[in-house]
Amino acid sequence: MGFDTKGFRDALGFFPTGIAVMTAVSDEASHIGITVNSFTSVSLDPPLVLWCIDRRSRRYPHFAQAPGFTVSILASGHKAVSARLAGAGEHSLDGIDLIPTQLGPPALADSLAVFECARESVQDAGDHAILIGRVLRFARHDGAGAPLVYFRGRYGALAQGDPPEGVAGRRATDAE
């Protein structure tokens, strides 16, 4: 009897995750994007984040070789964009409301937060790769709404409460 891969995937679905879109510049000098739920922080000093991508994805070489990437943390209103960029065939950012970044790859407009990252390293991990980025710049958009989440194969949203004391407005900050 082999390992139950489908059961394992279903069990992992009981862990609710946030949703982010990663953007990079492809070798054709156009912008590409991919939806992920594997984004997490790694270190505050230096400021590092990571996310994972299937090495069989057509987008993998673009992200693995790009000098950097931009992370857009999605709000509940981004469900259609998330679903579009999660698909195997679609990776173009054409027709998506974007904002420019200093790094180059654009961010999704109205994102809850944006992180501009230089590629730190790419690590093999089974059928996926772990992309670690050094955060060069970030911005919070506190009034952008509730976060988009993923749980048991479905999108959802968390109720938006009051921000923590001392947190208000829109901020852009250099990480270094």
Side-chain angles (χ1 to χ4, degrees), residues 133-153:
R134 181 180 293 260
V135 179
L136 304 177
R137 185 171 169 77
F138 65 93
R140 290 194 323 237
H141 308 123
D142 297 323
L148 184 63
V149 296
Y150 201 68
F151 177 71
R152 295 185 66 191

Side-chain angles (χ1 to χ4, degrees), residues 52-120:
C52 303
I53 185 171
D54 190 324
R55 290 187 289 124
R56 298 167 295 190
S57 168
R58 290 190 347 225
R59 294 172 271 193
Y60 169 71
H62 301 290
F63 282 101
Q65 296 167 11
F69 54 86
T70 298
V71 181
S72 298
I73 306 299
L74 301 190
S76 58
H78 287 114
K79 184 176 169 182
V81 170
S82 174
R84 175 181 150 186
L85 294 174
E90 184 60 58
H91 62 268
S92 168
L93 299 177
D94 293 342
I96 296 174
D97 194 11
L98 303 170
I99 56 175
T101 65
Q102 288 183 6
L103 184 64
L108 271 64
D110 301 322
S111 297
L112 297 177
V114 172
F115 302 89
E116 297 177 59
C117 304
R119 180 175 41 120
E120 185 82 4

Side-chain angles (χ1 to χ4, degrees), residues 9-96:
R9 182 182 179 124
D10 291 346
L12 290 171
F14 280 92
F15 183 67
T17 61
I19 307 290
V21 164
M22 308 302 176
T23 56
V25 177
S26 73
D27 51 2
E28 297 92 28
S30 62
H31 298 119
I32 61 169
I34 189 169
T35 300
V36 303
N37 69 343
S38 58
F39 173 74
T40 191
S41 63
V42 175
S43 170
L44 294 176
D45 187 17
L48 300 174
V49 296
L50 71 75
W51 63 285
C52 303
I53 185 171
D54 190 324
R55 290 187 289 124
R56 298 167 295 190
S57 168
R58 290 190 347 225
R59 294 172 271 193
Y60 169 71
H62 301 290
F63 282 101
Q65 296 167 11
F69 54 86
T70 298
V71 181
S72 298
I73 306 299
L74 301 190
S76 58
H78 287 114
K79 184 176 169 182
V81 170
S82 174
R84 175 181 150 186
L85 294 174
E90 184 60 58
H91 62 268
S92 168
L93 299 177
D94 293 342
I96 296 174

